[in-house]
């Protein structure tokens, strides 16, 4: 059988995989009932629903009249965006929140199709203001804001 709409088919397969992963992974916990839900109830039900939706999308992809092939996979954006998150995690303690966010924004922006330094500076400034407002001042998290040699 020929897959006519590859994007829908593979999206459906991905939904099925994620749904089954969470539904099966939750089986180590007690399920409970709809009235008294256990810790496994929510991930099992949502995982099952996600798998069913994925099955519908995959079947639709098999019999679709629209032909839509999957583009080639772009590794560079994936590596740079995920790498920027890891970089943030590694730099948070030694450099503090502000410098770790700046590094994350600049490395993550390199994964985009059109990197513009001025835009990254504006986005980084807005992100720093929002993160400081929400996590440091709003929630009072004890995260180093600046490097230890600068002083918090």
């Amino acid at each position: 059988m020929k897959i006519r709409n590859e994007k829908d088919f593979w999206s459906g397969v991905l939904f099925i995989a994620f749904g089954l992963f969470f539904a099966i992974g939750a089986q180590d916990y007690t399920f409970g009932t709809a009235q008294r839900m256990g810790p496994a109830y929510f991930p099992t039900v949502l995982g099952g629903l996600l798998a069913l939706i994925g099955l519908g999308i995959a079947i639709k992809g098999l019999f679709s009249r629209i032909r839509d092939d999957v583009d080639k996979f772009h590794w560079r954006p994936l590596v740079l965006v995920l790498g920027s998150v890891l970089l943030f995690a590694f730099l948070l303690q030694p450099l503090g929140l502000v410098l770790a966010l700046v590094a994350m924004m600049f490395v993550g922006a390199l994964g985009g199709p059109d990197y513009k330094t001025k835009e990254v500076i504006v986005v980084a400034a807005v992100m720093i203001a929002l993160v400081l407002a929400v996590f440091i001042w709003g929630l009072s998290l004890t995260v180093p804001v600046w490097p230890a040699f600068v002083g918090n």
Side-chain angles (χ1 to χ4, degrees):
M1 176 176 276
K2 178 77 172 137
I3 301 171
R4 297 188 53 87
N5 189 333
E6 289 183 3
K7 286 184 180 179
D8 278 353
F9 177 77
W10 290 113
S11 296
V13 169
L14 193 63
F15 281 20
I16 292 169
F18 274 106
L20 291 177
F21 173 78
F22 285 104
I24 292 169
Q27 297 311 303
D28 291 339
Y29 304 110
T30 55
F31 190 77
T33 64
Q35 192 171 10
R36 293 191 49 86
M37 296 178 197
Y41 191 89
F42 193 70
T44 302
V45 170
L46 284 185
L49 288 173
L50 185 62
L52 283 174
I53 290 169
L55 182 64
I57 293 171
I59 290 172
K60 178 184 159 219
L62 285 174
F63 299 108
S64 176
R65 294 181 186 194
I66 300 169
R67 179 140 178 84
D68 199 3
D69 295 332
V70 175
D71 297 333
K72 78 175 190 103
F73 193 77
H74 302 280
W75 286 101
R76 186 172 181 265
L78 176 72
V79 169
L80 285 171
V81 171
L82 290 177
S84 71
V85 175
L86 289 174
L87 181 68
F88 174 80
F90 286 118
L91 294 179
L92 183 60
Q93 282 297 56
L95 294 183
L97 185 64
V98 172
L99 296 178
L101 275 172
V102 169
M104 181 180 75
M105 291 289 136
F106 276 93
V107 172
L110 290 172
D114 52 343
Y115 175 86
K116 295 184 176 110
T117 305
K118 289 180 184 177
E119 289 179 4
V120 177
I121 291 170
V122 171
V123 169
V126 170
M127 183 65 111
I128 289 167
L130 286 172
V131 167
L132 288 175
V134 171
F135 294 106
I136 302 302
W137 299 312
L139 296 173
S140 300
L141 293 183
T142 55
V143 177
V145 176
W146 297 104
F149 60 85
V150 173
N152 287 332

